[in-house]
Amino acid sequence: MSAPAGQDYPQDLVAIFHASFHPTQGNVVDWSLKASDDISLDYLEFSALPSGLHLVEQDVVYFTNNGHHGVCIFRRRKTTEEGHRGFRLTSLGILLAKSRRPRPWRHVASLKQLTTMLYSLVEPSGKLQLTGSDWDLAENYFDERKVRDADLGGAGDWSSWSQEFDLMKATSDLLNAPTIHLPHMLRILGPSSLTLFKHVLGRRRILIYTLPPVEAACILCQAAADMCYEAQVTADGSQLKGRNKDPTLVLGMVTLTDLDRLHAESQTGRGWIACTTDAIFLEKPSYYDLIIDLTTSTPSKYTRPTFYSSKPITPQQSNPKVPTHRLSTIRFAWSDVTLWNEIERILDLNADHSSHHACCSPSSIDSPTKSKFVSTWTDAWRVYEDVCIVCAGLWMGSWRGNSTQSYSSANGPENWGAIHLEGDDDLTVEGSYIRNVGMGIEGGPRATPSGGIGNTVSPRTHHPQLSSSSRSIRSGKRRSRQASQEEPPQQGNDDGQLLTMMTLLQVFRAHISFQLSVLESFMPKGISNLGYETDHTLYLTPKDILAFELGPLSGFDAKYLEWLVEEYASGTKVVIKRSWRDFFGAIFGYS
């Protein structure tokens, strides 16, 4: 396979391999090439063939192995061979060299093409096992892309999002980049996506549980990490420096063979985000801090994925087998509403066209007018419903639980992961069809923005006690919001996606910088630079928490503040003073 004229392949591969399911041996790596002998392929076959993948025809799986990021193309091929139950399960994958920003998605299109060509060579003859010279195409593919220079020819560099997407547009990799699907991910998760955002910034352990196909969950892992990527790898004007120099680790697909690795990665404090198809992880909450259950999201009725936080419990000494952690449903906080409104207005840049895209709507649509009306009503109802649930939880002391999931697909893909509540909750009339490739979240709307956002963004509450640096951050945030409201020039489809995604990344970065500047203003002079070595107690009142634009009565926001201090002012302990006078002042605005 030779490179098209004017296009250079990234030379960052350290291994290529083929994994398959053997009826007696299980998952095995039956062919591989490595750039050096010190590259380990141990347990790679389990990442390439996760449990449940036999239910789908094809899939794309992202994973990591011994620090190397990789991707593989899965195919389920029909066979009459004895012991295979009618199908041979195979995956062709690659491993990338370690770098600042590995980009396995740059190889997905060519790897799919290579997989199709390899299997087409042997299937006409009736044999499905590749041998000898059958691997020549794969060997040539690896030779073109294997590592030659220590700097990978710039393939692993990263300086800014502008440089990142200029590179992808120049190499036709834009639609394969997970970050481009960030707007679609936010639409699906709704305001709860800000709960995910806080866990990523706080360097928590995040797991996504999904049913096959898994490409959507793998994309979600990378897109979620990218919300905080720039803030975690670049320095801003704040003196508070992150304890970790590397971004949140994206592990991709993990299986039960990775339990020891998850435990080891948890000790670093870097934080990680992964996905799995093994339901037993739902019974092991001690291995993660947040788990997102994608199986509660269904294309036939509008239901969101369910978020669970892992909370420690006091074990009974008389019974050491009692679990040490339990799962508790978690939703967004009151303080997230303002930021979510800002994000939602940016998403409206291409919302008018998203309902006509194949990934967001059923094949039959009555009329554009009806779709626009339904979309507007649904968006309003989503926030109203979530706010009502928060209110009910505050007064009743419990959150609404989801019904038992139905994993049957016997009556068609519309029943995939469906849940059933009392009454009809199909608020979209026609159904909110949010899944496309493998019923996943990937393939966000590709639309041309025809105008700016019609609604005016309300100014954020001003806190006079903020430092001058935080006021400058606020000014930058207001400028970014004003820019998002201006009518953009006529864009192509790809440019429309890019504009929305870049604006969202800018908003997240501005919000992070703002909160860090507020934290810095509360730190005594000299502590910000010595925070890693000096023990210090930071006392905050509900009024101080408002300065961060967080909820003074929210236990989750208080925990989020502890995470920020742990990462950016290590050695500092946070104590929140809550008295009846503080509660009264926080609610009614008295000082």
Side-chain angles (χ1 to χ4, degrees), residues 107-374:
H107 301 274
V108 168
S110 59
L111 199 59
K112 286 182 177 179
Q113 181 183 5
L114 174 63
T115 302
T116 301
M117 294 174 64
L118 284 175
Y119 294 154
S120 65
L121 291 176
V122 296
E123 287 177 351
S125 61
K127 71 171 187 175
L128 296 182
Q129 183 67 37
L130 285 80
T131 58
S133 61
D134 297 333
W135 295 109
D136 288 348
L137 286 175
E139 293 177 2
N140 294 336
Y141 180 94
F142 180 65
D143 186 63
E144 291 174 344
R145 294 165 173 80
K146 69 180 180 180
V147 173
R148 289 180 172 82
D149 302 319
D151 62 356
L152 308 181
D157 296 342
W158 193 91
S159 60
S160 66
W161 286 121
S162 298
Q163 178 267 341
E164 172 89 357
F165 291 101
D166 285 344
L167 172 65
M168 286 191 294
K169 290 183 67 176
T171 57
S172 302
D173 290 324
L174 184 61
L175 295 181
N176 291 325
T179 319
I180 202 68
H181 305 288
L182 175 62
H184 199 49
M185 182 195 78
L186 294 174
R187 288 188 179 95
I188 293 171
L189 298 182
S192 293
S193 58
L194 298 182
T195 299
L196 173 61
F197 165 74
K198 290 177 179 178
H199 278 79
V200 174
L201 184 60
R203 301 281 187 172
R204 300 298 97 186
R205 305 167 301 167
I206 304 167
L207 184 64
I208 299 171
Y209 171 60
T210 183
L211 295 176
V214 302
E215 182 181 9
C218 294
I219 288 175
L220 195 155
C221 289
Q222 186 65 54
D226 285 347
M227 289 191 292
C228 303
Y229 184 89
E230 185 176 21
Q232 291 177 338
V233 300
T234 60
D236 54 19
S238 173
Q239 294 184 11
L240 298 179
K241 308 302 179 185
R243 180 180 58 176
N244 296 276
K245 305 303 180 184
D246 296 317
T248 297
L249 178 61
V250 180
L251 294 175
M253 177 58 55
V254 295
T255 65
L256 291 177
T257 60
D258 295 304
L259 289 177
D260 291 340
R261 180 161 68 114
L262 293 181
H263 178 73
E265 293 292 351
S266 300
Q267 305 307 310
T268 65
R270 177 182 175 181
W272 52 260
I273 180 168
C275 58
T276 185
T277 59
D278 292 320
I280 197 173
F281 273 101
L282 294 171
E283 302 174 7
K284 297 180 177 295
S286 62
Y287 284 92
Y288 47 83
D289 299 303
L290 176 73
I291 186 168
I292 303 175
D293 188 356
L294 294 184
T295 65
T296 61
S297 180
T298 170
S300 59
K301 294 181 181 292
Y302 186 82
T303 51
R304 292 195 182 103
T306 306
F307 286 57
Y308 298 99
S309 64
S310 176
K311 295 185 177 181
I313 57 178
T314 303
Q316 299 179 5
Q317 296 181 356
S318 59
N319 188 0
K321 295 184 179 181
V322 174
T324 58
H325 292 72
R326 63 179 176 85
L327 292 181
S328 177
T329 306
I330 183 174
R331 299 181 71 87
F332 68 95
W334 278 108
S335 58
D336 295 332
V337 174
T338 302
L339 179 59
W340 174 250
N341 286 339
E342 184 175 332
I343 291 173
E344 197 168 36
R345 291 187 179 100
I346 296 172
L347 295 175
D348 284 344
L349 282 170
N350 58 7
D352 291 343
H353 302 275
S354 64
S355 60
H356 304 297
H357 195 274
C359 71
C360 298
S361 297
S363 57
S364 59
I365 297 178
D366 295 341
S367 68
T369 304
K370 176 183 177 181
S371 300
K372 181 177 181 180
F373 170 78
V374 169

